Amino acid sequence: DAGITQSPRYKITETGRQVTLMCHQTWSHSYMFWYRQDLGHGLRLIYYSAAADITDKGEVPDGYVVSRSKTENFPLTLESATRSQTSVYFCASSESSWEQYFGPGTRLTVT
Amino acid sequence: DAKTTQPNSMESNEEEPVHLPCNHSTISGTDYIHWYRQLPSQGPEYVIHGLTSNVNNRMASLAIAEDRKSSTLILHRATLRDAAVYYCIRIGGTSYGKLTFGQGTILTVHP
């Protein structure tokens, strides 16, 4: 199906474990983004990518790693998960500076 | 500061127009104003964007003040499905490093 998908949709992990959240889009959009959403903070940009092999930090990048070897995929890795990284994570894609298309989100709980 | 200011919440009745305000007093000449909305348990959804002049699309209208320090999202006839959190954000050129969604306005629509 065309669109943007995220997996898993729900994840529970323990402190210190490595976790990778997947994002896949079928539009061949150049730009992709990762946001986190916490109560009281709205959405905050973690990392973004303007093209394959080009990534840059957003507002809250600490503790996260991204890569983009293929245009359609933009995985987000928490190398050593902490409780403060419990959040809902949204991936988005865009062809330009304009309309961003968001995925359904991944709810991550770190115990 | 790249943030915008919006009221925390607003209420409307179904079938009535809704005017959602946004202040962006420090906006630069090249910043666009974008509006997104987020329905419960979903990712954000693009609504509309503009630079200087008023804009219309099938979802809403965007009125931008002449000095560009404020803007108003107009829903011409609110429906129950329009109940969501509405975000006003500034986007400057192709630099997403400072993209911030803010708290948004919670719109409640009464039948």
Side-chain angles (χ1 to χ4, degrees), chain A residues 10-57:
Chain A
Y10 302 90
K11 177 73 176 179
I12 299 174
T13 190
E14 296 178 343
T15 300
R17 289 192 179 270
Q18 183 179 83
V19 178
T20 297
L21 308 183
M22 304 301 295
C23 179
H24 176 77
Q25 52 106 353
T26 61
W27 296 300
S28 298
H29 284 168
S30 298
Y31 292 89
M32 295 190 73
F33 312 85
W34 274 107
Y35 296 88
R36 60 177 289 174
Q37 185 170 36
D38 308 293
L39 285 175
H41 285 94
L43 281 93
R44 292 182 291 176
L45 182 66
I46 305 172
Y47 270 96
Y48 64 99
S49 169
D53 298 321
I54 300 175
T55 62
D56 207 347
K57 296 178 180 179

Side-chain angles (χ1 to χ4, degrees), chain A residues 31 33 35 37 40-43 45 48 57-59 90 94 96-100 102-104, chain B residues 32 34 36 38 41-46 49 87 91 93-97 99-103:
Chain A
Y31 292 89
F33 312 85
Y35 296 88
Q37 185 170 36
H41 285 94
L43 281 93
L45 182 66
Y48 64 99
K57 296 178 180 179
E59 182 185 0
F90 288 101
S94 173
S96 65
S97 303
W98 313 135
E99 183 175 354
Q100 292 185 27
F102 283 79
Chain B
Y32 281 76
H34 287 234
Y36 282 76
Q38 187 173 20
S41 301
Q42 295 186 26
E45 174 188 30
Y46 168 83
H49 78 275
Y87 296 99
I91 299 180
T94 57
S95 174
Y96 287 94
L99 185 60
T100 303
F101 268 66
Q103 296 298 310

Side-chain angles (χ1 to χ4, degrees), chain B residues 6-106:
Chain B
Q6 301 176 251
N8 290 331
S9 63
M10 292 185 65
E11 296 185 17
S12 174
N13 294 318
E14 202 173 8
E15 302 295 318
E16 292 183 353
V18 180
H19 291 233
L20 297 165
C22 179
N23 288 319
H24 28 81
S25 58
T26 59
I27 193 169
S28 72
T30 57
D31 286 352
Y32 281 76
I33 300 300
H34 287 234
W35 284 82
Y36 282 76
R37 71 180 185 181
Q38 187 173 20
L39 279 64
S41 301
Q42 295 186 26
E45 174 188 30
Y46 168 83
V47 177
I48 200 168
H49 78 275
L51 181 63
T52 56
S53 57
N54 295 343
V55 184
N56 300 293
N57 66 20
R58 63 176 179 81
M59 291 182 68
S61 296
L62 176 60
I64 301 174
E66 192 170 340
D67 61 8
R68 301 208 329 121
K69 293 184 177 181
S70 66
S71 61
T72 302
L73 179 70
I74 302 166
L75 306 179
H76 296 285
R77 293 180 64 190
T79 69
L80 297 179
R81 290 195 58 198
D82 291 323
V85 180
Y86 285 79
Y87 296 99
C88 168
I89 61 175
R90 292 162 46 177
I91 299 180
T94 57
S95 174
Y96 287 94
K98 299 295 184 183
L99 185 60
T100 303
F101 268 66
Q103 296 298 310
T105 297
I106 300 171

